[in-house]
Amino acid sequence: MHMRFSIPLGGRSRYKDVIEPLERVSVNLIPTSKQTIKDFGPPKEIAETLHEVDGKTYYQFEFTAQARNYTRHALGIITVFNGKFYTLTTGANERRWEKMKDRLHTVVDSFKITV
């Protein structure tokens, strides 16, 4: 799966599966005074993993969210570049997690700011 997001002026872009609505990818762009993601704190306090790509630092995390009728298993990655806080979040219903997790990890692992 290869996606390229163009962030509209409102700062949010989303891809959603029509059949499985809990399987989606969203990218948000939020203005910030931070210069780098490291300004938010050390990775152990913020996220599970830290990695560098093309001189930019990214924090990656995984979590589950329990709702009344389902559990959503999600992955996310965040960074700061050029005065903007970027977040990408993707996930699936917990019952489909084993089938989707490799694809969703690929989406998160491929996220990079190319501006």
Side-chain angles (χ1 to χ4, degrees):
M1 178 188 315
H2 180 76
M3 290 183 243
R4 182 170 290 209
F5 286 90
S6 228
I7 307 295
L9 192 56
R12 183 174 201 173
S13 186
R14 175 182 273 179
Y15 165 80
K16 188 174 184 180
D17 188 304
V18 179
I19 296 169
E20 292 288 341
L22 292 179
E23 292 174 14
R24 61 180 173 255
V25 177
S26 64
V27 177
N28 295 293
L29 176 65
I30 304 159
T32 183
S33 62
K34 307 289 189 203
Q35 297 301 307
T36 173
I37 195 68
K38 292 176 183 178
D39 292 344
F40 283 98
K44 291 201 185 260
E45 292 178 17
I46 306 297
E48 293 179 4
T49 60
L50 160 76
H51 64 270
E52 303 266 340
V53 178
D54 297 330
K56 295 177 190 79
T57 302
Y58 296 81
Y59 290 170
Q60 190 171 332
F61 51 94
E62 182 172 340
F63 62 95
T64 56
Q66 179 69 48
R68 196 167 137 162
N69 299 327
Y70 62 88
T71 300
R72 184 167 189 261
H73 200 127
L75 301 171
I77 188 164
I78 57 178
T79 193
V80 171
F81 178 71
N82 207 18
K84 297 192 176 55
F85 178 60
Y86 292 83
T87 69
L88 178 138
T89 309
T90 187
N93 190 313
E94 185 67 30
R95 68 180 167 74
R96 288 183 43 87
W97 178 249
E98 285 304 313
K99 179 178 181 176
M100 296 301 298
K101 71 179 178 181
D102 290 340
R103 291 180 190 168
L104 299 176
H105 274 285
T106 298
V107 170
V108 170
D109 292 343
S110 69
F111 181 70
K112 62 182 174 184
I113 305 303
T114 59
V115 179

